[in-house]
Amino acid sequence: MKRLPSIIFAFFISLCLQAQVSRLAENVQYFFSVEGTAGAGDNAPFWFTNNKYALGTTQNFSGLARTALYRTAETDSLWFWRYGYGIDLASPINDENGYFCVQQAYVDIEWKVLRLSLGQKERASELKNASLSTGGLVLGQNARPIPQVRAEMPYFWVVPGTRDLFAFKGHIAYGWYTDASWQRKFNAGSNNIYTKGSMFHSKALFLRVGNRKKFPLEVTGGLEMACQFGGTAWNIQPYGNAQLLQDVKLGGSLWSAFLPSGGDVNDENYTNAAGNHIGSWHLRLDWHAKKWSLGIYMEHLFEDHSQMFTQYGWNDMLLGLELNLPKNPYLTTLLYEYNTTMDQSGPIYHDKTQENPTQISARDDYYNNHIYGAWQMGGFVMGNPLIISPIYNSYFQNEGLIGTLHNRTQSHHIGLKGQPSSEWTWRALYTHQRSLGVYKKPTINPATANYLLLETSYSPKWCQGLTFTAAYGHNDGTLLGSSNAAMLGVRFSGWLQRTQWDY
């Protein structure tokens, strides 16, 4: 009889575990999709290629088949322990990155407000409209997701005792790059830099102030940082030395990635923090009226202390305005963004020497790095695509260069979205861009471009889960040339099993 409490406890635990496991087969969703693009011109339309998690292509004729099976952790919203997972397979046609890929494969484990996310998962930019914005400056929707271990508070958690005035969220993650084979192939026959086996780190913390139930204004601000470190490099060059080094083990550790420190292997007397570091400051103000809302936001990019603080002034940033209108059949959301990266602390960089002891930490060269080539994954920049990705470098007659040749840009962007009926939706994107190249290779004359996307989707009531999409894309100007293309797609989504809870 003395063992009876232990037996009852063990039996209770086994029942709980069985209940937890049985939930994993409930409320599972799926989708199948197929799309094709056909056009003519120098490159595929810009918004057909970019902000698609690297599933776009610069080719004029392309296709994409995709299938996924997933369960969201939000399904278990009534439980302290919640579980989600997903597997997403894509098969592109005429794509620079290959013919098959695992786009997503992840497991999410949540306890109360905390989540542990394991694997490769698409994540939208912080504090921005995923369907209309050009994307975040540090981490956006442009590159393929990186496999990682990520501990996070995914939603704003209200601080107890503050009368719902203060809330915060954040994350810390470590992962690894998977584009080594692409880098070798892209770099074949050249002496440009490329790496393999490098690691990834990111972290962010955001604070929200305000309670919309009592006053309509909310203010959100925060810091986002990321780093590429470790691995092996080919064709790197020591400071002041013309000799190229091969098969060099790169520095950096979990700690030096978290708190930028250490030094790169080719720094010699002029040390930088080990790895390729990048970050941004965020600020957003939201006014929530009864039937409409207005958001104004800013994101400022930095790659070292010259732009992290105000020593050289904050002349580069993304400024945005998002207006959500009262319900109507014409226009639901209007977004405008102004993005400039022209300054980069100025054109002059000078290390401190005996002859000239003045340190000038300018010429930041956004997204480019002297060891890792660029802030990119598989040819697509991991931040905002208006800093032009390496995937376009063959068009610029720089085959094999893993770097961006246009990071001093200025752009105006407009995004519109509407829902005329329950069956029809539409969106439109228009971007005007001007570029001066990069400081080390400026354009003779400013390069300009216009990018247009018109898209509509139809989800008929007579077939739940079926969606047809049609789009038209257009480029013109001297930056990426001229092109016109059309895209047609069909998607079917549904539930393998849906459980309705009755409480």
Side-chain angles (χ1 to χ4, degrees):
M1 294 294 293
K2 292 182 179 180
R3 298 182 59 190
L4 184 59
S6 298
I7 295 173
I8 294 174
F9 178 75
F11 180 69
F12 175 75
I13 293 296
S14 66
L15 286 179
C16 290
L17 289 175
Q18 184 178 358
Q20 301 282 343
V21 172
S22 65
R23 278 191 283 141
L24 297 180
E26 297 171 350
N27 298 306
V28 179
Q29 300 177 68
Y30 66 89
F31 75 79
F32 305 96
S33 67
V34 178
E35 67 179 48
T37 299
D42 298 296
N43 294 285
F46 187 84
W47 292 121
F48 279 13
T49 303
N50 294 282
N51 275 353
K52 299 180 70 174
Y53 297 100
L55 291 179
T57 173
T58 63
Q59 305 301 312
N60 288 312
F61 291 87
S62 63
L64 176 66
R66 193 172 177 184
T67 182
L69 189 73
Y70 62 97
R71 183 184 194 271
T72 64
E74 290 81 2
T75 296
D76 297 331
S77 59
L78 299 177
W79 302 74
F80 279 162
W81 286 96
R82 299 177 293 275
Y83 308 97
Y85 56 83
I87 181 72
D88 179 0
L89 307 177
S91 181
I93 299 173
N94 198 25
D95 182 89
E96 296 95 340
N97 280 318
Y99 297 95
F100 173 81
C101 69
V102 179
Q103 181 69 6
Q104 299 185 87
Y106 63 89
V107 174
D108 289 340
I109 304 171
E110 294 186 1
W111 180 74
K112 294 187 176 180
V113 299
L114 303 177
R115 174 190 290 171
L116 179 64
S117 185
L118 309 172
Q120 185 170 315
K121 184 179 182 181
E122 294 179 350
R123 293 180 172 88
S125 304
E126 296 283 2
L127 308 183
K128 293 178 179 65
N129 187 308
S131 63
L132 298 181
S133 172
T134 59
L137 298 180
V138 174
L139 296 170
Q141 300 157 219
N142 199 47
R144 183 155 295 154
I146 288 182
Q148 59 192 268
V149 178
R150 179 179 172 113
E152 61 182 337
M153 296 179 64
Y155 312 110
F156 279 100
W157 175 68
V158 177
V159 180
T162 64
R163 298 183 179 181
D164 295 344
L165 285 176
F166 297 95
F168 67 89
K169 72 171 186 174
H171 83 268
I172 180 171
Y174 286 93
W176 54 94
Y177 285 79
T178 58
D179 67 340
S181 61
W182 174 86
Q183 289 199 33
R184 286 196 300 272
K185 180 181 176 182
F186 187 76
N187 192 262
S190 71
N191 287 324
N192 292 313
I193 297 167
Y194 68 98
T195 60
K196 74 171 185 177
S198 55
M199 302 290 291
F200 167 82
H201 165 66
S202 70
K203 54 185 173 288
L205 182 63
F206 294 92
L207 173 66
R208 187 182 69 197
V209 181
N211 182 347
R212 69 171 71 177
K213 295 179 181 178
K214 297 181 179 180
F215 190 73
L217 179 64
E218 287 182 336
V219 180
T220 306
L223 176 65
E224 183 179 19
M225 297 181 69
C227 173
Q228 182 179 8
F229 66 100
T232 305
W234 281 261
N235 301 330
I236 67 170
Q237 187 173 331
Y239 193 92
N241 191 330
Q243 180 184 1
L244 298 178
L245 302 181
Q246 308 294 322
D247 196 17
V248 178
K249 296 295 182 183
L250 300 174
S253 64
L254 299 182
W255 175 249
S256 66
F258 179 79
L259 186 65
S261 56
D264 288 321
V265 296
N266 62 343
D267 282 343
E268 296 186 357
N269 295 326
Y270 303 98
T271 58
N272 300 286
N276 182 15
H277 293 264
I278 188 171
S280 66
W281 293 100
H282 294 255
L283 179 64
R284 180 173 176 123
L285 285 71
D286 287 285
W287 184 271
H288 300 277
K290 288 185 178 180
K291 295 184 179 181
W292 60 275
S293 66
L294 175 66
I296 301 173
Y297 54 92
M298 177 275 292
E299 185 178 0
H300 169 68
L301 182 70
F302 61 86
E303 291 197 338
D304 54 34
H305 290 92
S306 63
Q307 282 294 312
M308 184 176 186
F309 303 108
T310 57
Q311 177 185 4
Y312 288 81
W314 282 11
N315 298 315
D316 294 337
M317 62 183 64
L318 186 154
L319 300 172
L321 181 148
E322 180 183 350
L323 176 63
N324 292 290
L325 298 168
K327 187 175 181 180
N328 68 84
Y330 308 108
L331 180 65
T332 59
T333 306
L334 182 152
L335 179 141
Y336 168 77
E337 288 182 347
Y338 170 73
N339 189 354
T340 178
T341 57
M342 287 288 192
D343 184 60
Q344 302 190 34
S345 304
I348 299 173
Y349 180 87
H350 186 272
D351 284 308
K352 186 183 297 185
T353 63
Q354 276 189 329
E355 295 78 14
N356 188 347
T358 302
Q359 168 74 29
I360 303 176
S361 298
R363 207 172 73 176
D364 291 336
D365 205 9
Y366 295 157
Y367 290 7
N368 285 325
N369 184 264
H370 67 297
I371 288 182
Y372 292 95
W375 182 244
Q376 65 87 41
M377 169 76 161
F380 290 86
V381 298
M382 294 172 60
N384 192 291
L386 292 175
I387 295 180
I388 305 300
S389 294
I391 203 72
Y392 288 98
N393 283 352
S394 60
Y395 175 73
F396 300 129
Q397 285 79 51
N398 276 276
E399 190 72 49
L401 175 65
I402 301 176
T404 177
L405 294 167
H406 289 274
N407 63 16
R408 296 187 62 220
T409 73
Q410 186 181 73
S411 64
H412 299 271
H413 172 80
I414 296 173
L416 305 173
K417 185 164 62 175
Q419 186 172 359
S421 70
S422 60
E423 294 181 302
W424 289 92
T425 60
W426 65 270
R427 68 171 178 144
L429 304 178
Y430 169 74
T431 310
H432 173 73
Q433 185 174 24
R434 177 173 172 265
S435 174
L436 297 180
V438 295
Y439 272 126
K440 60 187 176 184
K441 191 176 182 180
T443 58
I444 298 175
N445 297 303
T448 61
N450 296 289
Y451 313 128
L452 175 67
L453 171 71
L454 301 175
E455 181 184 88
T456 184
S457 296
Y458 172 58
S459 301
K461 292 181 180 179
W462 50 264
C463 187
Q464 193 73 25
L466 181 64
T467 300
F468 299 97
T469 300
Y472 166 75
H474 171 79
N475 288 358
D476 65 53
T478 57
L479 180 55
L480 293 177
S482 299
S483 61
N484 292 278
M487 186 274 290
L488 294 175
V490 60
R491 173 184 170 120
F492 186 79
S493 60
W495 300 80
L496 285 184
Q497 180 185 0
R498 189 171 188 180
T499 303
Q500 300 291 339
W501 294 95
D502 185 16
Y503 287 92

